[in-house]
Amino acid sequence: MNNINHEEIGFMKFSGEAVPSGIIDAGTAGMALVGLDEAVRFFNEKQSPEFGKLEYQIPVRTTEGSWIAWVLGTAGTGVGVFALSYLKKAGEKMAENDFREVGLKDVLKKSVDAIQCLVKLVKHTKRSRGWDTQKVLWRHNNAEIGILNAQNEPIFLPVEYLRWYLSLPPRLISKITGAVAHQRTLSIGVNRDGKFEEISVSVEEKIYFIDDDVEPEEDYLFPELKHGEEVRLEGRLTRGNASSNSIGLEYEGHVLNCIPEGGSIRRFKPALFLRCVVDGTISRLSKQRMVAEKRPTIVVRNIVPLERDDQYELFGG
């Protein structure tokens, strides 16, 4: 493995007034990097199940300015590998099996491309899953499939990408977009023939990436939040649903359902996508009223936005 050089395959970038001089808090950066790592590994394994059996590292380099994490591949003589710490024998094993003619750098690049394409699909359809796969269009000898949005406008993507997306683990992509905030935009870039093509996600679009309707994997989420307990929780309002009269509160990596103590949830609309303090009562009453819900619901009395210049309060009931 001589003459190995790192090549910038793609990037994850946060920019905006909330990212002064490329500075970002460790918690936010860590969550986004973990999400990126998990997403790349998922798509690597989709290209070859062998990746699930190997231990390897995905190298990332951060730079100043807007906070950027560069995803690095390696190029050089012999078998390409993700990092110098990636076992040479593992690289050779992969080359013997699925990738005789394709370097592992290309596998990694395809995974980053799949992440970017997924972002495009979610933004286009405003859905993180559950796309309509019956009413579709085809092109390029059925190598690409067109998924329609609510306006019947298609977005085309490789058929194999869509197959991968249909088996996405819950909240895989929302771990990356979870760091999007007011005045902090996410961009995913891919190197295409030496030029980087990027797609961005704003705080207004963040709602499309949240799988808050997916059944949680936890046995019992936040057991310290007991039924009937009065609470003050700090988090970010992520979505509003007038038909169900509910809003979502992003709290410690999860989205909790919130319903007003009285009246319509519409009065909290000015606080959407802002960091807030929510006052309310915990409810764990299940639909069957026999067992406690695994995920708590907040019956909201008051919401105080923390990111508005005027710092006004929104009072319920």
Side-chain angles (χ1 to χ4, degrees):
M1 295 196 304
N2 298 324
N3 302 323
I4 294 178
N5 298 306
H6 288 296
E7 178 180 333
E8 295 170 342
I9 291 175
F11 63 79
M12 174 179 64
K13 176 175 67 176
F14 291 102
S15 57
E17 294 182 18
V19 194
S21 303
I23 299 173
I24 193 170
D25 65 277
T28 297
M31 177 177 65
L33 287 172
V34 168
L36 179 64
D37 182 87
E38 291 181 0
V40 170
R41 291 177 187 274
F42 172 80
F43 290 119
N44 287 351
E45 191 169 344
K46 283 299 179 181
Q47 294 182 65
S48 172
E50 290 294 332
F51 279 99
K53 305 174 185 178
L54 301 175
E55 294 184 6
Y56 60 92
Q57 296 178 0
I58 300 171
V60 173
R61 181 177 65 225
T62 60
T63 58
E64 297 179 355
S66 298
W67 190 91
I68 306 176
W70 294 96
V71 181
L72 305 176
T74 56
T77 60
V79 178
V81 294
F82 292 156
L84 296 177
S85 59
Y86 184 31
L87 299 178
K88 180 175 184 290
K89 62 180 180 181
E92 292 173 343
K93 181 179 180 181
M94 293 300 299
E96 291 171 358
N97 296 333
D98 298 321
F99 301 107
R100 290 187 180 88
E101 304 299 329
V102 180
L104 298 185
K105 177 189 67 176
D106 300 294
V107 177
L108 181 57
K109 183 175 181 179
K110 190 170 184 178
S111 293
V112 177
D113 183 65
I115 294 172
Q116 187 190 72
C117 188
L118 176 59
V119 171
K120 292 178 180 179
L121 175 63
V122 173
K123 287 185 54 168
H124 180 76
T125 61
K126 300 182 180 180
R127 300 180 62 90
S128 62
R129 59 181 65 244
W131 306 286
D132 185 356
T133 57
Q134 300 301 315
K135 185 181 177 182
V136 297
L137 302 176
W138 300 92
R139 72 180 187 184
H140 298 165
N141 294 322
N142 294 340
E144 291 189 354
I145 186 170
I147 302 298
L148 304 180
N149 61 12
Q151 292 73 43
N152 287 322
E153 300 166 332
I155 182 173
F156 286 92
L157 61 147
V159 174
E160 65 174 341
Y161 282 15
L162 181 61
R163 294 196 188 102
W164 299 347
Y165 300 159
L166 294 178
S167 61
L168 280 175
R171 301 179 183 86
L172 180 70
I173 198 67
S174 64
K175 291 181 181 179
I176 301 176
T177 59
V180 175
H182 185 58
Q183 298 181 338
R184 184 166 66 211
T185 299
L186 165 71
S187 297
I188 300 293
V190 178
N191 188 338
R192 303 188 192 284
D193 300 323
K195 295 182 179 180
F196 285 91
E197 176 188 321
E198 62 182 281
I199 185 75
S200 63
V201 178
S202 67
V203 67
E204 292 80 12
E205 297 167 327
K206 179 180 177 179
I207 184 175
Y208 309 142
F209 296 83
I210 297 177
D211 293 337
D212 54 355
D213 59 340
V214 178
E215 183 68 20
E217 299 177 358
E218 301 84 6
D219 290 333
Y220 199 76
L221 186 63
F222 301 126
E224 70 277 10
L225 300 179
K226 297 179 173 58
H227 180 74
E229 182 180 20
E230 304 290 323
V231 295
R232 296 196 73 193
L233 302 181
E234 182 177 328
R236 188 176 304 280
L237 297 187
T238 61
R239 55 131 176 101
N241 190 322
S243 61
S244 63
N245 201 30
S246 66
I247 53 177
L249 175 69
E250 185 181 7
Y251 175 73
E252 295 188 4
H254 298 269
V255 176
L256 303 183
N257 192 47
C258 302
I259 57 176
E261 191 176 55
S264 172
I265 208 70
R266 291 180 182 275
R267 67 183 180 277
F268 299 129
K269 184 177 180 181
L272 281 179
F273 312 116
L274 299 179
R275 193 157 191 84
C276 303
V277 172
V278 175
D279 290 311
T281 304
I282 296 298
S283 173
R284 286 190 179 270
L285 193 62
S286 70
K287 296 180 179 65
Q288 292 77 24
R289 299 177 181 266
M290 297 294 291
V291 295
E293 288 281 13
K294 295 180 180 180
R295 178 172 292 235
T297 293
I298 306 173
V299 181
V300 178
R301 287 190 308 276
N302 182 42
I303 295 179
V304 181
L306 301 177
E307 296 183 331
R308 295 296 294 259
D309 292 338
D310 52 1
Q311 291 293 297
Y312 65 87
E313 292 188 4
L314 300 173
F315 292 98

